[in-house]
Amino acid sequence: MVTIRLHNTKTRVKEVFTPIDAGNVRLYVCGPTVYDRAHIGNARPVVVFDTLFRLLRHVYGTDHVTYVRNFTDLDDKINATALARQKAGATGTLEALIAERTEETIRWYHEDMDALGALRPTQEPRATAYVGQMIAMIEVLIAKGHAYAKEGHVLFRVRSYADYGRLSGRAVDDMIAGARVEVAPFKEDPMDFVLWKPSDASLPGWDSPWGRGRPGWHIECSAMSLALLGASFDIHGGGIDLQFPHHENEVAQSCCAHPEGDFARVWMHNEMLQVEGKKMSKSLGNFFTVRDLLDQGYPGEVIRFVFLGTHYGKPMDWTAEKAAQAEATLRKWRGLVAGVPATAPADGVLAALADDLNTAGAIAELHALAAAGDAAGLKSSAALLGLLENGMGDWVDAGVDLAHFAARLAALREAAMATKDFAPVDAMKAALLSAGVEVRMSKAGVEVLPGPGFDATKLEGLL
RNA sequence: GGCGGGUUGGCGGAGAGGUUACGCAGCGGAUUGCAAAUCCGUGAAGACCGGUUCGAUUCCGGUACCCGCCUCCA
């Protein structure tokens, strides 16, 4: 059995990973709030934890890993989006507009993440389907003295949980000193956070012991992970920006409601993504959704390769330069593994991934396999990273048959060999090159294949 | 102010207390009608200042700069 080591945010060291139950390894990752298209930053944890999912499936067996990633379809941002649409003249009730928006966004999310080669998680629970469980958990917290109801709100009593701040390495008193916490009249302590809040008639709401209202954000993940994975599970993942307060609050809720469990044994956080060296933001004009990149012609596989080139624990920069390099490499490898059946991944690749998901190291191993001409090893090892898979390679040949161009060029060349007038050959070659076609001529013959920037429309009239 | 991440050759980016990372680009050569592709060879690094050590880019301390979180943003 391969020994997997993972950096645990909770303990701040790399640890040997030992599942609670090797027959059912359980992973939970915070999913998207479905109010808009996923941006490329949202895609990083998807690719990172998809790779972890693939590794775990390889090591423990495909049917022995449960991966849960939620959809937060219950959120004030969604409400605001729906409200804005209603004001803009959209017809239908607010509930209908919200449902429409979340369904549409989930569909987009699936399309975009599928394009990146991410496997669908085992389960993708929606928050709206677990409000009952959230209410139940809140009741337990109140009964145990960890939460209190006031003015239609229910708040978590942060001071009742001694370990609060441990995950994120913060001291409660320091946070108070920072004093940027919301002070509300119904809070016993400024640090207390909302588990339940009242909804007025214009907002979606559920009946609860505290009146009609809606849950706070943090309780969603606690309730869903409990329902689907139990009070103790193996790994909890997400972006480092969620470490505080979201994950800290999850720990507090889950551990106080179910002290018999450990909640998540291992916490993994991916670092943030930047674009051309800067934080992605709408005002800088470097804000991209995954769909934007796909529409610009970056294949999902190329995006995935760029992501995997940097260790998940380090900040990653998205640049056009990297994408171009990734495309060239994948194009080369695709040519190498065409028609080759997959076997078993190489030990070196597996070892790199098992070492805290060292995807950059794994890619170096792939280069070694390619250099050694081990096409089967390359293909099978790449599959562990979600690369070079059969369903994702359409972009390479662009669906165009270039055989007749090759034949034509070969004929011209043959004639030129006799006449020593290479002008017609060079003219056709230049035309092909300008259409992004790679032209290779040797004693063995003529080969043409789509290259970077291939544009089929420029081929018209060439024959 | 508090907490955390980063700083490696022209660019990207890993591991390891002492031995070539790797990829791209560059340079030289083979090959080619010219190229491309391929193959062979090759130069190039560890932000700064100290410390530990026979020896540190790798461990420890400090400085500088960049970034994130502390505002229900992955």
mmCIF file of all heavy atoms in Angstrom, chain B residues 55-71:
data_model
loop_
_atom_site.group_PDB
_atom_site.id
_atom_site.type_symbol
_atom_site.label_atom_id
_atom_site.label_comp_id
_atom_site.label_asym_id
_atom_site.label_seq_id
_atom_site.Cartn_x
_atom_site.Cartn_y
_atom_site.Cartn_z
ATOM 1 P P G B 55 32.207 24.268 8.377
ATOM 2 O OP1 G B 55 32.694 25.656 8.217
ATOM 3 O OP2 G B 55 31.351 23.912 9.532
ATOM 4 O "O5'" G B 55 31.477 23.848 7.033
ATOM 5 C "C5'" G B 55 32.101 24.126 5.777
ATOM 6 C "C4'" G B 55 31.337 23.457 4.672
ATOM 7 O "O4'" G B 55 31.315 22.041 4.903
ATOM 8 C "C3'" G B 55 29.865 23.836 4.576
ATOM 9 O "O3'" G B 55 29.695 25.037 3.850
ATOM 10 C "C2'" G B 55 29.280 22.639 3.829
ATOM 11 O "O2'" G B 55 29.543 22.714 2.449
ATOM 12 C "C1'" G B 55 30.094 21.495 4.430
ATOM 13 N N9 G B 55 29.422 20.845 5.565
ATOM 14 C C8 G B 55 29.711 20.979 6.893
ATOM 15 N N7 G B 55 28.941 20.251 7.666
ATOM 16 C C5 G B 55 28.086 19.606 6.775
ATOM 17 C C6 G B 55 27.041 18.695 7.017
ATOM 18 O O6 G B 55 26.644 18.248 8.103
ATOM 19 N N1 G B 55 26.422 18.278 5.843
ATOM 20 C C2 G B 55 26.776 18.707 4.589
ATOM 21 N N2 G B 55 26.068 18.215 3.578
ATOM 22 N N3 G B 55 27.760 19.561 4.338
ATOM 23 C C4 G B 55 28.370 19.958 5.474
ATOM 24 P P A B 56 28.512 26.036 4.314
ATOM 25 O OP1 A B 56 28.666 27.268 3.499
ATOM 26 O OP2 A B 56 28.499 26.094 5.784
ATOM 27 O "O5'" A B 56 27.192 25.270 3.833
ATOM 28 C "C5'" A B 56 26.882 25.118 2.456
ATOM 29 C "C4'" A B 56 25.413 25.375 2.251
ATOM 30 O "O4'" A B 56 24.689 24.449 3.095
ATOM 31 C "C3'" A B 56 24.994 26.758 2.713
ATOM 32 O "O3'" A B 56 25.192 27.755 1.712
ATOM 33 C "C2'" A B 56 23.540 26.539 3.171
ATOM 34 O "O2'" A B 56 22.626 26.679 2.112
ATOM 35 C "C1'" A B 56 23.552 25.104 3.638
ATOM 36 N N9 A B 56 23.558 24.913 5.088
ATOM 37 C C8 A B 56 24.329 25.509 6.045
ATOM 38 N N7 A B 56 24.091 25.096 7.264
ATOM 39 C C5 A B 56 23.084 24.147 7.098
ATOM 40 C C6 A B 56 22.391 23.336 8.006
ATOM 41 N N6 A B 56 22.610 23.333 9.317
ATOM 42 N N1 A B 56 21.452 22.509 7.511
ATOM 43 C C2 A B 56 21.230 22.500 6.203
ATOM 44 N N3 A B 56 21.826 23.224 5.255
ATOM 45 C C4 A B 56 22.740 24.025 5.765
ATOM 46 P P U B 57 24.579 27.879 0.298
ATOM 47 O OP1 U B 57 24.939 26.591 -0.261
ATOM 48 O OP2 U B 57 25.042 29.101 -0.353
ATOM 49 O "O5'" U B 57 22.980 27.954 0.439
ATOM 50 C "C5'" U B 57 22.266 29.121 0.111
ATOM 51 C "C4'" U B 57 20.875 28.749 -0.323
ATOM 52 O "O4'" U B 57 20.956 28.088 -1.613
ATOM 53 C "C3'" U B 57 20.212 27.738 0.605
ATOM 54 O "O3'" U B 57 19.514 28.395 1.644
ATOM 55 C "C2'" U B 57 19.240 27.029 -0.339
ATOM 56 O "O2'" U B 57 18.065 27.777 -0.528
ATOM 57 C "C1'" U B 57 20.029 27.017 -1.663
ATOM 58 N N1 U B 57 20.762 25.765 -1.891
ATOM 59 C C2 U B 57 20.027 24.617 -2.097
ATOM 60 O O2 U B 57 18.821 24.602 -2.071
ATOM 61 N N3 U B 57 20.775 23.486 -2.321
ATOM 62 C C4 U B 57 22.131 23.388 -2.362
ATOM 63 O O4 U B 57 22.655 22.293 -2.568
ATOM 64 C C5 U B 57 22.829 24.626 -2.144
ATOM 65 C C6 U B 57 22.138 25.743 -1.930
ATOM 66 P P U B 58 19.591 27.845 3.166
ATOM 67 O OP1 U B 58 18.794 28.778 3.996
ATOM 68 O OP2 U B 58 21.008 27.602 3.486
ATOM 69 O "O5'" U B 58 18.853 26.431 3.166
ATOM 70 C "C5'" U B 58 17.434 26.321 2.898
ATOM 71 C "C4'" U B 58 17.103 24.871 2.658
ATOM 72 O "O4'" U B 58 18.054 24.376 1.714
ATOM 73 C "C3'" U B 58 17.198 23.981 3.894
ATOM 74 O "O3'" U B 58 15.890 23.597 4.270
ATOM 75 C "C2'" U B 58 17.959 22.753 3.461
ATOM 76 O "O2'" U B 58 17.139 21.596 3.515
ATOM 77 C "C1'" U B 58 18.286 23.018 1.980
ATOM 78 N N1 U B 58 19.651 22.680 1.586
ATOM 79 C C2 U B 58 19.881 21.369 1.207
ATOM 80 O O2 U B 58 19.011 20.521 1.250
ATOM 81 N N3 U B 58 21.160 21.112 0.804
ATOM 82 C C4 U B 58 22.202 21.991 0.721
ATOM 83 O O4 U B 58 23.282 21.601 0.322
ATOM 84 C C5 U B 58 21.892 23.335 1.140
ATOM 85 C C6 U B 58 20.651 23.625 1.554
ATOM 86 P P C B 59 15.056 24.356 5.374
ATOM 87 O OP1 C B 59 13.724 23.733 5.463
ATOM 88 O OP2 C B 59 15.189 25.808 5.112
ATOM 89 O "O5'" C B 59 15.868 24.030 6.706
ATOM 90 C "C5'" C B 59 15.539 22.900 7.491
ATOM 91 C "C4'" C B 59 16.231 23.009 8.830
ATOM 92 O "O4'" C B 59 17.672 22.894 8.629
ATOM 93 C "C3'" C B 59 16.065 24.371 9.504
ATOM 94 O "O3'" C B 59 14.851 24.442 10.241
ATOM 95 C "C2'" C B 59 17.276 24.422 10.409
ATOM 96 O "O2'" C B 59 17.115 23.638 11.565
ATOM 97 C "C1'" C B 59 18.340 23.775 9.514
ATOM 98 N N1 C B 59 19.091 24.754 8.706
ATOM 99 C C2 C B 59 20.006 25.605 9.366
ATOM 100 O O2 C B 59 20.134 25.504 10.593
ATOM 101 N N3 C B 59 20.711 26.497 8.638
ATOM 102 C C4 C B 59 20.545 26.569 7.313
ATOM 103 N N4 C B 59 21.268 27.461 6.644
ATOM 104 C C5 C B 59 19.626 25.725 6.619
ATOM 105 C C6 C B 59 18.927 24.843 7.353
ATOM 106 P P C B 60 14.098 25.810 10.403
ATOM 107 O OP1 C B 60 12.801 25.541 11.045
ATOM 108 O OP2 C B 60 14.158 26.542 9.120
ATOM 109 O "O5'" C B 60 15.022 26.583 11.448
ATOM 110 C "C5'" C B 60 15.154 26.119 12.776
ATOM 111 C "C4'" C B 60 16.027 27.063 13.557
ATOM 112 O "O4'" C B 60 17.387 26.998 13.047
ATOM 113 C "C3'" C B 60 15.663 28.533 13.418
ATOM 114 O "O3'" C B 60 14.604 28.904 14.288
ATOM 115 C "C2'" C B 60 16.975 29.222 13.778
ATOM 116 O "O2'" C B 60 17.192 29.243 15.167
ATOM 117 C "C1'" C B 60 17.985 28.285 13.116
ATOM 118 N N1 C B 60 18.332 28.712 11.751
ATOM 119 C C2 C B 60 19.263 29.750 11.588
ATOM 120 O O2 C B 60 19.752 30.268 12.600
ATOM 121 N N3 C B 60 19.595 30.152 10.340
ATOM 122 C C4 C B 60 19.040 29.564 9.280
ATOM 123 N N4 C B 60 19.408 29.992 8.071
ATOM 124 C C5 C B 60 18.096 28.515 9.413
ATOM 125 C C6 C B 60 17.769 28.123 10.649
ATOM 126 P P G B 61 13.617 30.096 13.851
ATOM 127 O OP1 G B 61 12.512 30.126 14.834
ATOM 128 O OP2 G B 61 13.316 29.983 12.408
ATOM 129 O "O5'" G B 61 14.523 31.376 14.065
ATOM 130 C "C5'" G B 61 14.916 31.755 15.372
ATOM 131 C "C4'" G B 61 15.814 32.961 15.312
ATOM 132 O "O4'" G B 61 17.045 32.616 14.619
ATOM 133 C "C3'" G B 61 15.282 34.139 14.513
ATOM 134 O "O3'" G B 61 14.347 34.912 15.237
ATOM 135 C "C2'" G B 61 16.569 34.910 14.229
ATOM 136 O "O2'" G B 61 17.009 35.628 15.366
ATOM 137 C "C1'" G B 61 17.541 33.765 13.945
ATOM 138 N N9 G B 61 17.621 33.487 12.507
ATOM 139 C C8 G B 61 17.024 32.466 11.810
ATOM 140 N N7 G B 61 17.283 32.500 10.533
ATOM 141 C C5 G B 61 18.089 33.608 10.371
ATOM 142 C C6 G B 61 18.674 34.156 9.201
ATOM 143 O O6 G B 61 18.603 33.765 8.037
ATOM 144 N N1 G B 61 19.420 35.304 9.488
ATOM 145 C C2 G B 61 19.585 35.835 10.746
ATOM 146 N N2 G B 61 20.326 36.934 10.831
ATOM 147 N N3 G B 61 19.037 35.338 11.840
ATOM 148 C C4 G B 61 18.313 34.227 11.580
ATOM 149 P P G B 62 13.217 35.717 14.402
ATOM 150 O OP1 G B 62 12.280 36.283 15.393
ATOM 151 O OP2 G B 62 12.715 34.848 13.314
ATOM 152 O "O5'" G B 62 14.040 36.904 13.734
ATOM 153 C "C5'" G B 62 14.616 37.925 14.546
ATOM 154 C "C4'" G B 62 15.546 38.779 13.723
ATOM 155 O "O4'" G B 62 16.530 37.939 13.062
ATOM 156 C "C3'" G B 62 14.911 39.542 12.568
ATOM 157 O "O3'" G B 62 14.271 40.728 12.986
ATOM 158 C "C2'" G B 62 16.132 39.841 11.697
ATOM 159 O "O2'" G B 62 16.898 40.906 12.227
ATOM 160 C "C1'" G B 62 16.920 38.539 11.836
ATOM 161 N N9 G B 62 16.623 37.614 10.740
ATOM 162 C C8 G B 62 15.876 36.465 10.779
ATOM 163 N N7 G B 62 15.790 35.878 9.603
ATOM 164 C C5 G B 62 16.512 36.700 8.750
ATOM 165 C C6 G B 62 16.768 36.590 7.364
ATOM 166 O O6 G B 62 16.403 35.713 6.573
ATOM 167 N N1 G B 62 17.549 37.648 6.906
ATOM 168 C C2 G B 62 18.010 38.676 7.673
ATOM 169 N N2 G B 62 18.740 39.608 7.053
ATOM 170 N N3 G B 62 17.787 38.796 8.976
ATOM 171 C C4 G B 62 17.033 37.774 9.435
ATOM 172 P P U B 63 13.123 41.367 12.037
ATOM 173 O OP1 U B 63 12.567 42.540 12.746
ATOM 174 O OP2 U B 63 12.217 40.267 11.606
ATOM 175 O "O5'" U B 63 13.943 41.878 10.780
ATOM 176 C "C5'" U B 63 14.821 42.996 10.890
ATOM 177 C "C4'" U B 63 15.388 43.341 9.535
ATOM 178 O "O4'" U B 63 16.147 42.212 9.021
ATOM 179 C "C3'" U B 63 14.364 43.611 8.446
ATOM 180 O "O3'" U B 63 13.852 44.928 8.502
ATOM 181 C "C2'" U B 63 15.185 43.372 7.188
ATOM 182 O "O2'" U B 63 16.037 44.454 6.904
ATOM 183 C "C1'" U B 63 16.028 42.168 7.612
ATOM 184 N N1 U B 63 15.392 40.894 7.241
ATOM 185 C C2 U B 63 15.529 40.475 5.932
ATOM 186 O O2 U B 63 16.137 41.113 5.095
ATOM 187 N N3 U B 63 14.912 39.290 5.633
ATOM 188 C C4 U B 63 14.197 38.487 6.502
ATOM 189 O O4 U B 63 13.706 37.442 6.085
ATOM 190 C C5 U B 63 14.108 38.991 7.833
ATOM 191 C C6 U B 63 14.691 40.150 8.157
ATOM 192 P P A B 64 12.363 45.205 7.887
ATOM 193 O OP1 A B 64 12.023 46.605 8.208
ATOM 194 O OP2 A B 64 11.457 44.117 8.303
ATOM 195 O "O5'" A B 64 12.610 45.091 6.321
ATOM 196 C "C5'" A B 64 13.462 46.013 5.642
ATOM 197 C "C4'" A B 64 13.617 45.604 4.205
ATOM 198 O "O4'" A B 64 14.252 44.310 4.120
ATOM 199 C "C3'" A B 64 12.310 45.427 3.452
ATOM 200 O "O3'" A B 64 11.795 46.662 2.986
ATOM 201 C "C2'" A B 64 12.737 44.520 2.302
ATOM 202 O "O2'" A B 64 13.403 45.230 1.289
ATOM 203 C "C1'" A B 64 13.724 43.592 3.009
ATOM 204 N N9 A B 64 13.097 42.360 3.505
ATOM 205 C C8 A B 64 12.678 42.087 4.781
ATOM 206 N N7 A B 64 12.168 40.886 4.917
ATOM 207 C C5 A B 64 12.246 40.346 3.651
ATOM 208 C C6 A B 64 11.871 39.092 3.129
ATOM 209 N N6 A B 64 11.316 38.121 3.867
ATOM 210 N N1 A B 64 12.090 38.870 1.819
ATOM 211 C C2 A B 64 12.652 39.827 1.087
ATOM 212 N N3 A B 64 13.059 41.044 1.460
ATOM 213 C C4 A B 64 12.822 41.240 2.770
ATOM 214 P P C B 65 10.221 46.913 2.971
ATOM 215 O OP1 C B 65 10.013 48.359 2.735
ATOM 216 O OP2 C B 65 9.621 46.266 4.164
ATOM 217 O "O5'" C B 65 9.765 46.115 1.678
ATOM 218 C "C5'" C B 65 10.194 46.527 0.383
ATOM 219 C "C4'" C B 65 9.996 45.418 -0.597
ATOM 220 O "O4'" C B 65 10.748 44.247 -0.169
ATOM 221 C "C3'" C B 65 8.566 44.895 -0.712
ATOM 222 O "O3'" C B 65 7.757 45.713 -1.533
ATOM 223 C "C2'" C B 65 8.805 43.521 -1.326
ATOM 224 O "O2'" C B 65 9.104 43.608 -2.711
ATOM 225 C "C1'" C B 65 10.049 43.072 -0.570
ATOM 226 N N1 C B 65 9.705 42.285 0.636
ATOM 227 C C2 C B 65 9.409 40.923 0.468
ATOM 228 O O2 C B 65 9.458 40.439 -0.659
ATOM 229 N N3 C B 65 9.075 40.192 1.557
ATOM 230 C C4 C B 65 9.027 40.760 2.759
ATOM 231 N N4 C B 65 8.698 39.992 3.790
ATOM 232 C C5 C B 65 9.321 42.137 2.957
ATOM 233 C C6 C B 65 9.655 42.859 1.879
ATOM 234 P P C B 66 6.176 45.762 -1.249
ATOM 235 O OP1 C B 66 5.619 46.868 -2.053
ATOM 236 O OP2 C B 66 5.939 45.713 0.210
ATOM 237 O "O5'" C B 66 5.671 44.383 -1.872
ATOM 238 C "C5'" C B 66 5.807 44.126 -3.260
ATOM 239 C "C4'" C B 66 5.335 42.726 -3.566
ATOM 240 O "O4'" C B 66 6.192 41.764 -2.891
ATOM 241 C "C3'" C B 66 3.949 42.388 -3.054
ATOM 242 O "O3'" C B 66 2.929 42.877 -3.906
ATOM 243 C "C2'" C B 66 4.003 40.859 -3.044
ATOM 244 O "O2'" C B 66 3.879 40.316 -4.341
ATOM 245 C "C1'" C B 66 5.426 40.621 -2.538
ATOM 246 N N1 C B 66 5.475 40.452 -1.078
ATOM 247 C C2 C B 66 5.107 39.207 -0.550
ATOM 248 O O2 C B 66 4.758 38.306 -1.322
ATOM 249 N N3 C B 66 5.149 39.018 0.792
ATOM 250 C C4 C B 66 5.532 40.016 1.595
ATOM 251 N N4 C B 66 5.551 39.780 2.901
ATOM 252 C C5 C B 66 5.900 41.294 1.079
ATOM 253 C C6 C B 66 5.861 41.468 -0.251
ATOM 254 P P C B 67 1.526 43.279 -3.266
ATOM 255 O OP1 C B 67 0.725 43.864 -4.361
ATOM 256 O OP2 C B 67 1.748 44.023 -2.011
ATOM 257 O "O5'" C B 67 0.906 41.865 -2.882
ATOM 258 C "C5'" C B 67 0.590 40.927 -3.903
ATOM 259 C "C4'" C B 67 0.160 39.615 -3.290
ATOM 260 O "O4'" C B 67 1.246 39.046 -2.507
ATOM 261 C "C3'" C B 67 -0.983 39.678 -2.291
ATOM 262 O "O3'" C B 67 -2.242 39.826 -2.918
ATOM 263 C "C2'" C B 67 -0.826 38.328 -1.609
ATOM 264 O "O2'" C B 67 -1.279 37.271 -2.428
ATOM 265 C "C1'" C B 67 0.691 38.235 -1.479
ATOM 266 N N1 C B 67 1.155 38.723 -0.165
ATOM 267 C C2 C B 67 1.041 37.845 0.930
ATOM 268 O O2 C B 67 0.575 36.724 0.733
ATOM 269 N N3 C B 67 1.446 38.259 2.155
ATOM 270 C C4 C B 67 1.944 39.484 2.305
ATOM 271 N N4 C B 67 2.322 39.847 3.535
ATOM 272 C C5 C B 67 2.066 40.393 1.215
ATOM 273 C C6 C B 67 1.663 39.982 0.004
ATOM 274 P P G B 68 -3.441 40.478 -2.100
ATOM 275 O OP1 G B 68 -4.499 40.753 -3.087
ATOM 276 O OP2 G B 68 -2.933 41.555 -1.230
ATOM 277 O "O5'" G B 68 -3.907 39.285 -1.162
ATOM 278 C "C5'" G B 68 -4.405 38.086 -1.733
ATOM 279 C "C4'" G B 68 -4.579 37.043 -0.660
ATOM 280 O "O4'" G B 68 -3.306 36.789 -0.016
ATOM 281 C "C3'" G B 68 -5.480 37.434 0.490
ATOM 282 O "O3'" G B 68 -6.841 37.281 0.155
ATOM 283 C "C2'" G B 68 -5.044 36.435 1.553
ATOM 284 O "O2'" G B 68 -5.545 35.144 1.278
ATOM 285 C "C1'" G B 68 -3.534 36.432 1.338
ATOM 286 N N9 G B 68 -2.845 37.396 2.209
ATOM 287 C C8 G B 68 -2.303 38.601 1.864
ATOM 288 N N7 G B 68 -1.743 39.222 2.880
ATOM 289 C C5 G B 68 -1.934 38.362 3.948
ATOM 290 C C6 G B 68 -1.547 38.491 5.311
ATOM 291 O O6 G B 68 -0.934 39.410 5.858
ATOM 292 N N1 G B 68 -1.955 37.386 6.074
ATOM 293 C C2 G B 68 -2.645 36.313 5.573
ATOM 294 N N2 G B 68 -2.959 35.350 6.445
ATOM 295 N N3 G B 68 -3.001 36.182 4.301
ATOM 296 C C4 G B 68 -2.618 37.237 3.555
ATOM 297 P P C B 69 -7.917 38.215 0.846
ATOM 298 O OP1 C B 69 -9.193 37.957 0.162
ATOM 299 O OP2 C B 69 -7.389 39.588 0.955
ATOM 300 O "O5'" C B 69 -8.005 37.615 2.319
ATOM 301 C "C5'" C B 69 -8.515 36.309 2.521
ATOM 302 C "C4'" C B 69 -8.347 35.921 3.968
ATOM 303 O "O4'" C B 69 -6.936 35.927 4.311
ATOM 304 C "C3'" C B 69 -8.942 36.898 4.968
ATOM 305 O "O3'" C B 69 -10.342 36.739 5.118
ATOM 306 C "C2'" C B 69 -8.177 36.513 6.225
ATOM 307 O "O2'" C B 69 -8.644 35.300 6.765
ATOM 308 C "C1'" C B 69 -6.780 36.311 5.669
ATOM 309 N N1 C B 69 -5.981 37.543 5.718
ATOM 310 C C2 C B 69 -5.403 37.893 6.950
ATOM 311 O O2 C B 69 -5.585 37.150 7.927
ATOM 312 N N3 C B 69 -4.663 39.020 7.033
ATOM 313 C C4 C B 69 -4.488 39.785 5.965
ATOM 314 N N4 C B 69 -3.749 40.889 6.105
ATOM 315 C C5 C B 69 -5.067 39.460 4.707
ATOM 316 C C6 C B 69 -5.803 38.337 4.631
ATOM 317 P P C B 70 -11.219 37.990 5.487
ATOM 318 O OP1 C B 70 -12.604 37.504 5.496
ATOM 319 O OP2 C B 70 -10.847 39.150 4.653
ATOM 320 O "O5'" C B 70 -10.773 38.289 6.977
ATOM 321 C "C5'" C B 70 -11.045 37.354 8.007
ATOM 322 C "C4'" C B 70 -10.422 37.822 9.291
ATOM 323 O "O4'" C B 70 -9.018 38.051 9.097
ATOM 324 C "C3'" C B 70 -10.927 39.146 9.823
ATOM 325 O "O3'" C B 70 -12.170 38.958 10.505
ATOM 326 C "C2'" C B 70 -9.810 39.517 10.787
ATOM 327 O "O2'" C B 70 -9.921 38.822 12.007
ATOM 328 C "C1'" C B 70 -8.578 39.015 10.035
ATOM 329 N N1 C B 70 -7.874 40.091 9.326
ATOM 330 C C2 C B 70 -6.979 40.875 10.065
ATOM 331 O O2 C B 70 -6.824 40.628 11.273
ATOM 332 N N3 C B 70 -6.309 41.873 9.449
ATOM 333 C C4 C B 70 -6.501 42.097 8.153
ATOM 334 N N4 C B 70 -5.821 43.100 7.588
ATOM 335 C C5 C B 70 -7.413 41.324 7.380
ATOM 336 C C6 C B 70 -8.069 40.337 8.002
ATOM 337 P P U B 71 -13.175 40.188 10.855
ATOM 338 O OP1 U B 71 -12.433 41.454 10.889
ATOM 339 O OP2 U B 71 -13.744 39.622 12.074
ATOM 340 O "O5'" U B 71 -14.387 40.382 9.875
ATOM 341 C "C5'" U B 71 -14.488 39.801 8.650
ATOM 342 C "C4'" U B 71 -15.400 40.721 7.839
ATOM 343 O "O4'" U B 71 -14.687 41.897 7.495
ATOM 344 C "C3'" U B 71 -15.776 40.075 6.503
ATOM 345 O "O3'" U B 71 -17.095 39.514 6.656
ATOM 346 C "C2'" U B 71 -15.741 41.183 5.479
ATOM 347 O "O2'" U B 71 -17.016 41.515 5.029
ATOM 348 C "C1'" U B 71 -15.171 42.363 6.258
ATOM 349 N N1 U B 71 -14.086 43.036 5.532
ATOM 350 C C2 U B 71 -14.484 44.030 4.668
ATOM 351 O O2 U B 71 -15.644 44.295 4.479
ATOM 352 N N3 U B 71 -13.459 44.661 4.044
ATOM 353 C C4 U B 71 -12.114 44.423 4.193
ATOM 354 O O4 U B 71 -11.311 45.093 3.563
ATOM 355 C C5 U B 71 -11.797 43.377 5.108
ATOM 356 C C6 U B 71 -12.770 42.732 5.731
#
